[in-house]
Amino acid sequence: MTLPRSARSPIALALPFTLGILAVHALRELPAAWMLGLLAIPALLPWRGRAIYALFVLGVLWCVWRVQDDLALRWPPSRHNETIELRGHVAALPERDEIEGERRWRFQFRADDASIPLIRASWYRAPVELEAGECWRLALRMRTPHGSMNPGAFDYEAWLFREGVGALASVLADATRFESAPDGA
């Protein structure tokens, strides 16, 4: 497969790939596997513009693959409101605010168990000051991230997705602080 001389510049090669990525972002939902297969067939047939088209298809396939990987890390809806106990650490600077005189912490919690996604946790009436990097064993009520679909409003679910957060949780009463991360973490 030979590219035309005018299409050999890096910008000319990046353009169809980028357009493939943007095409996926314009869709309301990810295409099914059979649709991706149909999309790829013309890239296999001999015709003059197939090299450029193949770069477009490569952009589409790469973007769908990356998004599916990220979606696979989300807390499953079938386990919504499940209470679990996890050991892990505060993964970023916690945010503190007070509502009607009661302290609330919001923080990212990374569990030691690699199968658990990054969690955005809320701890109401926390009896302690939280700091980034602290190790905890927490009882958490887990929830699947979701946001409202109001036009023009802040898209909380999309923001969580961009931040890599795959679950929301509320800290329950049981919490134990540890001095350091467990062995192997």
Side-chain angles (χ1 to χ4, degrees):
M1 174 168 37
T2 306
L3 291 172
R5 186 175 297 276
S6 63
R8 291 183 189 165
S9 76
I11 292 174
L13 295 174
L15 185 62
F17 183 81
T18 303
L19 288 174
I21 292 170
L22 292 174
V24 173
H25 286 278
L27 299 174
R28 292 175 82 51
E29 60 185 39
L30 291 177
W34 67 269
M35 288 179 175
L36 296 172
L38 284 177
L39 183 70
I41 289 173
L44 302 174
L45 301 174
W47 57 288
R48 185 179 172 136
R50 81 173 174 167
I52 301 298
Y53 182 77
L55 289 169
F56 172 81
V57 171
L58 185 63
V60 169
L61 294 174
W62 181 81
C63 188
V64 167
W65 169 63
R66 291 298 307 141
V67 170
Q68 285 177 338
D69 273 358
D70 290 343
L71 287 175
L73 296 176
R74 290 175 52 114
W75 189 254
S78 62
R79 296 181 67 189
H80 190 79
N81 276 335
E82 182 177 319
T83 300
I84 61 173
E85 189 171 298
L86 293 173
R87 183 173 171 154
H89 65 277
V90 178
L93 290 174
E95 305 162 16
R96 177 186 172 176
D97 60 1
E98 293 207 19
I99 299 174
E100 298 176 8
E102 292 186 354
R103 179 177 26 196
R104 175 183 65 181
W105 290 98
R106 289 186 187 258
F107 59 99
Q108 290 185 355
F109 186 74
R110 178 145 335 258
D112 293 340
D113 181 353
S115 68
I116 304 293
L118 180 64
I119 300 166
R120 180 163 169 86
S122 298
W123 193 348
Y124 300 91
R125 296 179 293 282
V128 296
E129 295 286 323
L130 283 178
E131 294 182 20
E134 289 182 329
C135 297
W136 287 88
R137 180 183 308 276
L138 301 173
L140 300 168
R141 177 165 293 125
M142 303 291 288
R143 296 182 314 278
T144 304
H146 68 279
S148 61
M149 299 288 282
N150 297 334
F154 177 70
D155 191 346
Y156 183 60
E157 186 174 356
W159 178 78
L160 291 171
F161 186 75
R162 286 190 304 272
E163 294 292 313
V165 175
L168 301 174
S170 297
V171 178
L172 303 177
D174 301 329
T176 307
R177 186 185 321 210
F178 293 94
E179 290 301 317
S180 64
D183 295 335

